[in-house]
Amino acid sequence: MVCHSMKKFLLRLFYIILVIFGGLCGYSLSRYTETFFATGLPPGLLLGNSVAMILLGIFLGAFLAPICTFVIMKAVTGLSAALQKLPLQEVLMGAVGLLFGMIVAFFVNLVIASISFEKIPVIGDYLNPLLIIISTIFLGTLGAWFGSQLAYVHGVDKLVSVNGLTSTRVVALDTSVIIDGRIVALRESGFLNGTLIVPHFVLQELQVLADSEDNLKRNRGRRGLDLLNDLRKINDIEVVDRDYEDVHGVDAKLIRLALEMSAYLCTTDFNLAKVAAVQGVKVLNVNALTSALKPVVLAGETMNIKVIKAGKEAGQGVGYLDDGTMVVIEGGRKYVGELVEVEIASVVQTVAGRMFFSKFISKKNEEQ
């Protein structure tokens, strides 16, 4: 997206250009009126006519400048947003195709410029520049389209990382997924391929956590830094020295980076995943993957589970499956610390995940 400071600069630049253009048009109009309507007038009147026409052109240019600049900036913003959603290889090949298209257009325009249309009444003087503009736009667009298609025809489907490594995709890691630690198991299992990257501002956030006075935060930050060091030793991750001073917040910077690099965003942050998806970023949510891989348990099935603690309601006990899913056991309060057999009564989906409600069947021995 076009940053705020650049947007203000472009608005002022377009405004100045259009005002100057209006003044030049006014001057040309004054010369035209002098030739056809003011022949023989005193020099003072001719000068006044020129000044009046120039001021009129400047006024019209200043009046139309806000409208024109709004339309132009709207188009620039829309184009930048569209380009951010395209794969990086398609943008690069499209830029190369555009360059070749402009080169071809240059030579074609030389031929057009040598053709004389002066004998054609009224529009003859304007056909050369009109045809040059049309050929430039057409050939440039054709070159960009042809270049973008070559990215797929020749199988150029690799993204280039910052340090020159290539991969089928680039995956940006956020702070939450680094601290979580499951990223290593996913990597080793082969479910997460591609080049893993960590922005420098994420490292800074981990360092702040590692230096925190809170023991829990400090341990989480140090765990994340140790994990990154282990991945760096086997050349399985890269640090991106890219920052965005005009963007506030690590989450917003991550989304900006993912858009610019056409990268996937790997996270366990539910809110970040939602915001990134809305802005067109491809998200790899580890928690969503974990939930999808949980075994399906239906009402009426039986299972053995250890009662960990008493529940909120009278007579209830609470246990947990291996994946952390809570199981509420009716009649299980007096069996805290023991293994029991239960029957699943219902499955409830909550914001935090699934929860099972079950009925106590019988007590089981630990050896069973």
Side-chain angles (χ1 to χ4, degrees), residues 30 33-34 41-56:
S30 68
T33 55
E34 289 175 8
L41 290 177
L45 291 177
L46 293 177
L47 178 60
N49 176 67
S50 297
V51 172
M53 292 297 178
I54 293 174
L55 291 176
L56 177 62

Side-chain angles (χ1 to χ4, degrees), residues 277-299:
V278 169
Q279 298 189 41
V281 177
K282 297 179 180 178
V283 179
L284 303 176
N285 191 331
V286 177
N287 286 338
L289 175 62
T290 303
S291 298
L293 294 177
K294 287 181 178 180
V296 178
V297 178
L298 302 177

Side-chain angles (χ1 to χ4, degrees), residues 107-154:
F107 290 104
V108 172
N109 291 340
L110 290 179
V111 177
I112 294 176
S114 64
I115 302 175
S116 176
F117 297 99
E118 295 179 355
K119 294 183 180 180
I120 300 177
V122 183
I123 62 172
D125 295 336
Y126 305 102
L127 280 180
N128 284 95
L130 179 62
L131 292 176
I132 288 174
I133 293 174
I134 293 175
S135 69
T136 301
I137 295 175
F138 174 75
L139 293 174
T141 304
L142 181 63
W145 176 83
F146 186 71
S148 64
Q149 295 302 306
L150 283 178
Y152 299 101
V153 173
H154 293 286

Side-chain angles (χ1 to χ4, degrees), residues 158-167 170 195 235-238:
K158 292 185 178 182
L159 298 176
V160 182
S161 67
V162 176
N163 295 330
L165 297 179
T166 57
S167 174
V170 173
T195 301
N235 296 322
D236 205 22
I237 199 167
E238 295 188 43

